C-alpha cells in the first residue's frame, strides 16, 4: 500500500478515481496502438508493391538509356541530362493519424513538352526520359510511404511503452491501494459495529 494514502474514505475515492483513469487511459492507448498498427501494415503492403514496380521500370529505363547511349552517343545523352532543370514542383504537406503527423508528397503538374531539343535525339532517349520520370514519381510516393511507416513505428513503440506502464505498473498498484484501503475501512466498520453492539448491550443490562 502507498504509505502516502492513509485509509480514509477520501483517499479511497482518490485511489478509485486514479484507477478508473488509468484503466481508461490504457484502453485509449491500446485502441490508438491498434489503429496505428493497421495503418502501418497497410502502408507496408503498398511499399512492397511499389518496390516491385520501381524495380521493373528502373530496368526498362536503363535499357532505354543504354540504347540511347549507343544510338546518339553517351556524351550527347550526358549533356542533355545536365541541361534538364531541377524539379522544384514537389510539395510536402502533412496529415494526422491519431496525432501522428504523416507526410503527403505532391507534385505540381509541369509542362509535357520536351525539355531538350529534338535535332540530336531519338525515340530511345524519349522512352528513357519517360521511364525515369515515372521512376521519380513512384520514388516520391515510396518516400512518403516509408517515412510514414517509420513515424508510425516510432509512435507505436512509444504508445506501447505507455500502455505497458499503465497495465503492468499503475493499474496493479492502484488496484492494491483500493483493496487495502477498502479492507482497512471494512475492518474499522466491523470494529465500530461490534463496539456499538457492546455499548447497546451494556445499556440494556444497566436498565435491567
Amino acid at each position: 500500500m502507498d504509505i502516502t494514502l492513509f485509509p480514509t474514505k477520501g483517499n479511497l475515492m482518490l485511489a478509485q478515481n486514479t484507477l478508473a483513469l488509468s484503466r481508461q487511459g490504457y484502453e485509449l492507448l491500446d485502441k490508438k496502438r491498434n489503429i496505428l498498427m493497421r495503418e502501418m501494415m497497410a502502408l507496408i503492403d503498398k511499399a512492397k508493391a511499389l518496390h516491385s514496380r520501381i524495380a521493373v521500370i528502373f530496368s526498362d529505363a536503363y535499357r532505354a538509356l543504354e540504347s540511347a547511349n549507343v544510338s546518339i552517343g553517351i556524351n550527347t545523352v550526358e549533356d542533355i541530362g545536365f541541361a534538364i532543370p531541377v524539379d522544384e514542383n514537389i510539395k510536402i504537406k502533412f496529415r494526422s493519424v491519431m496525432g501522428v503527423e504523416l507526410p503527403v508528397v505532391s507534385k505540381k503538374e509541369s509542362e509535357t513538352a520536351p525539355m531538350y531539343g529534338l535535332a540530336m535525339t531519338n525515340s530511345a532517349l524519349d522512352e528513357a526520359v519517360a521511364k525515369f520520370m515515372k521512376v521519380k514519381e513512384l520514388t516520391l510516393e515510396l518516400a512518403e510511404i516509408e517515412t510514414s511507416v517509420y513515424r508510425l513505428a516510432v509512435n507505436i513503440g512509444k504508445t506501447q511503452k505507455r500502455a505497458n506502464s499503465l497495465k503492468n505498473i499503475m493499474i496493479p498498484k492502484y488496484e492494491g491501494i483500493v483493496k487495502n484501503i477498502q479492507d482497512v475501512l471494512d475492518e474499522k466498520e466491523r470494529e465500530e459495529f461490534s463496539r456499538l453492539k457492546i455499548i447497546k448491550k451494556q445499556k440494556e443490562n444497566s436498565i435491567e
Side-chain angles (χ1 to χ4, degrees), residues 3-4 15 27-28 36 40 43 58-59 63 67 73 77 79 97 101 110 113 121 137 147 149 155 170 194 204 206 208:
I3 60 173
T4 63
E27 290 175 2
L28 290 173
L36 295 181
M40 185 177 74
L43 290 176
F58 248 132
S59 179
R63 279 197 295 269
S67 178
V77 171
D79 290 341
V97 177
E101 295 296 307
S110 56
T121 62
E137 176 186 324
T147 301
V149 168
N155 204 274
M170 292 296 292
S194 298
E204 290 173 348
S206 64
E208 294 176 358

Side-chain angles (χ1 to χ4, degrees), residues 116-172:
Y116 48 85
L118 301 178
M120 299 179 62
T121 62
N122 58 17
S123 60
L125 180 64
D126 294 340
E127 182 183 356
V129 170
K131 294 287 186 181
F132 278 111
M133 287 297 182
K134 185 61 177 177
V135 167
K136 181 174 70 173
E137 176 186 324
L138 294 177
T139 301
L140 288 174
E141 186 178 351
L142 183 61
E144 172 189 310
I145 292 173
E146 290 188 338
T147 301
S148 296
V149 168
Y150 173 77
R151 291 190 174 192
L152 287 167
V154 169
N155 204 274
I156 287 169
K158 292 179 179 178
T159 302
Q160 184 67 56
K161 187 175 181 180
R162 289 195 291 267
N164 287 342
S165 177
L166 288 173
K167 181 181 179 181
N168 300 322
I169 299 175
M170 292 296 292
I171 291 176

Side-chain angles (χ1 to χ4, degrees), residues 3 11 36 54 98 112 131 150 174 200 205:
I3 60 173
N11 282 338
L36 295 181
I54 289 174
M98 298 298 290
T112 57
K131 294 287 186 181
Y150 173 77
Y174 279 91
K200 181 179 180 182
N205 293 335

Side-chain angles (χ1 to χ4, degrees), residues 12-26:
L12 176 61
M13 291 179 63
L14 287 174
Q16 288 172 332
N17 289 338
T18 302
L19 177 59
L21 288 173
S22 296
R23 286 171 173 165
Q24 184 181 29
Y26 172 75

